[in-house]
Amino acid sequence: MKKCPECGNPSYDGAPVCGNCGYKFPKQKVVAPKSEDIFQQEPKVKKDANDEDTISIIKNNKLIIGAILLITLIVICGIVLMGTGNNSNSSSPLQATANAMEYSTGDFSFKYSGDWKEINETDLEHAGAKFFQNEDNVTIEYYNVTSSADSIKEISQGILTSAQGKGAYVELVETITLDGRNASNIVLEDADGDYTRYVSMFTEGITHVFKVNGDSMNAVSSEDVDSVINTANIA
């Protein structure tokens, strides 16, 4: 109920005028109910300080990632420069050694350490063979022979056939590179338990051979022996 402000007569809430004096009641304002905003933004979820996305992690650790990539590149370059084993003719340490000696015969030559000594031995099958002995008592023989073979493979097969006929066991057969040419590298365990290594080079009907004798495979394939073989040169 409401009262008329003029005469005080009570009237119902929706009455437009006072029933006693005719006073016109002012119209009531209609307040629209509050509606939800369908475009209202959802509340933002606060990220934990430890929750970093991938991009942030990369940005924050770019120095570490860069260092890892640089180290990887250096390692790869080192592997390429060092080569991959015996199939490349790496330069011998003897090239820069002051006391290195040189042996030369015709168009073939090689360098050997001044610590090696020439020994007086004879190879009945190869006249004119040259013998050396290093500090580990490994004997290194060099000889050359005229050959009718057509390839280094054929020469290798001849060495293997002869050695196996004497009871030797084949430990290693491979092709290596010496002086820019294909060469044969064979290691045999002899019937008496010692080891013999043949490194053969072939050019223009001549076979040049290093024959190395020692008491173990490591002895005949040591760095000291390899450093001499790697200096082999055909003019």
Side-chain angles (χ1 to χ4, degrees):
M1 296 292 288
K2 60 183 178 180
K3 290 184 179 182
C4 176
E6 293 292 332
C7 65
N9 185 60
S11 300
Y12 62 91
D13 290 337
V17 296
C18 177
N20 182 43
C21 67
Y23 174 80
K24 291 183 179 181
F25 292 110
K27 293 182 179 181
Q28 293 182 348
K29 294 182 179 180
V30 179
V31 180
K34 186 177 181 180
S35 61
E36 293 184 2
D37 185 359
I38 62 173
F39 298 104
Q40 183 179 1
Q41 294 183 354
E42 294 183 0
K44 294 183 178 180
V45 179
K46 187 177 180 181
K47 283 189 176 182
D48 187 86
N50 294 325
D51 293 339
E52 295 184 285
D53 57 25
T54 303
I55 295 177
S56 297
I57 292 174
I58 292 174
K59 288 182 177 179
N60 294 335
N61 296 279
K62 59 184 178 180
L63 290 178
I64 298 175
I65 295 173
I68 293 173
L69 291 175
L70 180 60
I71 293 172
T72 303
L73 181 61
I74 292 173
V75 171
I76 293 173
C77 291
I79 293 173
V80 172
L81 291 174
M82 290 176 66
T84 55
N86 289 332
N87 287 335
S88 63
N89 183 22
S90 57
S91 62
S92 168
L94 285 172
Q95 302 285 8
T97 302
N99 69 340
M101 308 291 287
E102 183 173 13
Y103 175 78
S104 177
T105 174
D107 58 356
F108 184 84
S109 65
F110 61 89
K111 296 181 183 296
Y112 61 95
S113 171
D115 297 328
W116 286 22
K117 59 184 179 181
E118 294 185 28
I119 56 177
N120 187 20
E121 289 196 15
T122 302
D123 184 338
L124 297 178
E125 296 180 357
H126 305 103
K130 192 76 172 178
F131 291 85
F132 302 87
Q133 191 174 71
N134 68 9
E135 294 180 320
D136 296 323
N137 293 322
V138 175
T139 301
I140 301 91
E141 174 187 358
Y142 164 75
Y143 63 85
N144 61 72
V145 293
T146 302
S147 176
S148 59
D150 294 324
S151 66
I152 196 69
K153 181 179 179 180
E154 188 176 343
I155 292 170
S156 298
Q157 189 58 55
I159 293 173
L160 292 172
T161 300
S162 175
Q164 289 176 320
K166 299 175 183 178
Y169 176 80
V170 179
E171 288 282 354
L172 175 68
V173 179
E174 65 178 353
T175 299
I176 61 175
T177 302
L178 293 175
D179 193 28
R181 309 164 188 265
N182 285 339
S184 171
N185 184 39
I186 299 174
V187 180
L188 306 166
E189 182 179 359
D190 302 326
D192 59 4
D194 287 336
Y195 285 75
T196 302
R197 178 184 180 189
Y198 292 89
V199 177
S200 306
M201 300 175 68
F202 176 67
T203 179
E204 298 181 356
I206 302 295
T207 303
H208 300 275
V209 181
F210 290 100
K211 181 180 178 182
V212 187
N213 290 104
D215 59 6
S216 69
M217 186 167 181
N218 288 336
V220 299
S221 302
S222 68
E223 183 178 351
D224 184 38
V225 173
D226 282 343
S227 67
V228 172
I229 292 175
N230 284 334
T231 65
N233 176 261
I234 297 176

